[in-house]
Amino acid sequence: MTDTPAIISNSLAAHLRAASTVIWDFDGVIANTEPVQEQAFTETLRRMNIAPPKDYFTDLIGMPEPDIWQDLVSKYEIALPAATLIDERSRYYLRRATELNLPMSNLY
Protein backbone atom coordinates (compact mmCIF):
# COMPACT_ATOMS: atom_id res chain seq x y z
CA MET A 1 0.00 0.00 0.00
CA THR A 2 1.26 3.47 -0.81
CA ASP A 3 1.90 6.18 1.73
CA THR A 4 -0.95 8.54 2.51
CA PRO A 5 -0.49 11.97 0.92
CA ALA A 6 0.02 14.73 3.49
CA ILE A 7 -3.18 16.44 2.40
CA ILE A 8 -5.35 13.83 4.17
CA SER A 9 -4.96 12.08 7.49
CA ASN A 10 -4.30 8.38 7.95
CA SER A 11 -7.71 7.91 9.56
CA LEU A 12 -9.47 9.61 6.65
CA ALA A 13 -7.43 7.55 4.18
CA ALA A 14 -8.52 4.37 5.98
CA HIS A 15 -12.19 5.41 5.72
CA LEU A 16 -11.78 6.17 2.02
CA ARG A 17 -10.10 2.80 1.35
CA ALA A 18 -12.95 1.00 3.14
CA ALA A 19 -15.70 2.88 1.29
CA SER A 20 -17.47 1.40 -1.69
CA THR A 21 -18.64 4.85 -2.80
CA VAL A 22 -17.36 8.35 -2.16
CA ILE A 23 -19.41 11.48 -2.77
CA TRP A 24 -17.50 14.73 -2.81
CA ASP A 25 -19.63 17.39 -1.19
CA PHE A 26 -18.84 21.04 -1.69
CA ASP A 27 -19.93 22.26 1.70
CA GLY A 28 -23.58 23.15 1.91
CA VAL A 29 -24.72 21.14 -1.12
CA ILE A 30 -25.46 17.91 0.74
CA ALA A 31 -24.48 18.77 4.30
CA ASN A 32 -23.35 21.89 6.08
CA THR A 33 -20.15 20.56 7.64
CA GLU A 34 -18.30 23.84 8.26
CA PRO A 35 -19.57 24.14 11.87
CA VAL A 36 -18.25 20.63 12.63
CA GLN A 37 -14.97 21.40 10.84
CA GLU A 38 -14.59 24.51 13.00
CA GLN A 39 -15.32 22.47 16.13
CA ALA A 40 -12.65 19.95 15.09
CA PHE A 41 -9.98 22.62 14.58
CA THR A 42 -10.96 24.41 17.79
CA GLU A 43 -10.92 21.21 19.86
CA THR A 44 -7.52 20.23 18.44
CA LEU A 45 -6.16 23.63 19.45
CA ARG A 46 -7.78 23.49 22.90
CA ARG A 47 -6.10 20.14 23.58
CA MET A 48 -2.83 22.09 23.29
CA ASN A 49 -4.14 24.79 25.67
CA ILE A 50 -4.68 27.23 22.80
CA ALA A 51 -7.86 29.30 22.86
CA PRO A 52 -8.29 30.87 19.43
CA PRO A 53 -10.45 33.99 19.05
CA LYS A 54 -14.11 33.35 18.36
CA ASP A 55 -13.95 34.29 14.66
CA TYR A 56 -10.54 32.78 13.79
CA PHE A 57 -12.00 30.09 11.51
CA THR A 58 -13.69 32.52 9.10
CA ASP A 59 -10.40 33.39 7.36
CA LEU A 60 -9.46 29.70 7.04
CA ILE A 61 -12.58 28.46 5.22
CA GLY A 62 -11.71 27.14 1.78
CA MET A 63 -7.98 26.75 2.46
CA PRO A 64 -6.32 23.34 2.09
CA GLU A 65 -5.82 21.80 5.52
CA PRO A 66 -1.99 21.72 5.35
CA ASP A 67 -2.08 25.48 4.69
CA ILE A 68 -4.44 26.01 7.62
CA TRP A 69 -2.11 24.15 9.95
CA GLN A 70 0.92 25.98 8.58
CA ASP A 71 -0.82 29.25 9.49
CA LEU A 72 -1.90 28.03 12.94
CA VAL A 73 1.50 26.44 13.72
CA SER A 74 3.19 29.75 12.94
CA LYS A 75 0.64 31.88 14.80
CA TYR A 76 0.56 29.75 17.97
CA GLU A 77 4.11 28.35 17.86
CA ILE A 78 2.89 24.74 17.82
CA ALA A 79 5.70 22.17 17.98
CA LEU A 80 3.74 19.21 16.57
CA PRO A 81 4.10 18.28 12.89
CA ALA A 82 1.21 19.13 10.57
CA ALA A 83 0.59 15.44 9.82
CA THR A 84 -0.08 14.80 13.53
CA LEU A 85 -2.43 17.79 13.74
CA ILE A 86 -4.27 16.74 10.57
CA ASP A 87 -4.72 13.22 11.93
CA GLU A 88 -5.98 14.45 15.32
CA ARG A 89 -8.40 16.93 13.73
CA SER A 90 -9.68 14.29 11.33
CA ARG A 91 -10.34 11.79 14.12
CA TYR A 92 -12.34 14.40 16.04
CA TYR A 93 -14.26 15.44 12.92
CA LEU A 94 -15.14 11.85 11.95
CA ARG A 95 -16.29 11.11 15.51
CA ARG A 96 -18.53 14.22 15.60
CA ALA A 97 -19.85 13.65 12.07
CA THR A 98 -20.83 10.12 13.11
CA GLU A 99 -22.49 11.37 16.30
CA LEU A 100 -24.43 13.94 14.27
CA ASN A 101 -25.24 11.39 11.57
CA LEU A 102 -23.86 13.61 8.79
CA PRO A 103 -24.58 14.14 5.95
CA MET A 104 -28.01 15.43 6.84
CA SER A 105 -28.45 19.07 5.91
CA ASN A 106 -31.52 19.34 8.14
CA LEU A 107 -29.26 19.25 11.20
CA TYR A 108 -28.43 22.92 10.70
Side-chain angles (χ1 to χ4, degrees), residues 29-106:
V29 175
I30 296 173
N32 182 8
T33 61
E34 287 300 339
V36 181
Q37 294 287 2
E38 182 175 1
Q39 289 173 11
F41 278 97
T42 302
E43 181 59 26
T44 302
L45 291 169
R46 284 187 181 147
R47 289 180 183 178
M48 294 179 285
N49 296 316
I50 298 169
K54 189 172 184 122
D55 63 347
Y56 84 101
F57 193 71
T58 304
D59 293 336
L60 306 176
I61 293 174
M63 290 174 57
E65 186 166 3
D67 294 350
I68 291 173
W69 283 116
Q70 182 178 354
D71 181 62
L72 295 174
V73 162
S74 174
K75 184 178 288 182
Y76 296 111
E77 300 178 353
I78 299 170
L80 295 172
T84 300
L85 297 165
I86 290 169
D87 194 53
E88 185 173 334
R89 194 238 18 111
S90 294
R91 280 195 310 273
Y92 179 89
Y93 172 80
L94 291 171
R95 186 173 58 251
R96 285 295 293 146
T98 299
E99 291 169 0
L100 295 171
N101 198 26
L102 291 178
M104 287 176 45
S105 58
N106 64 350

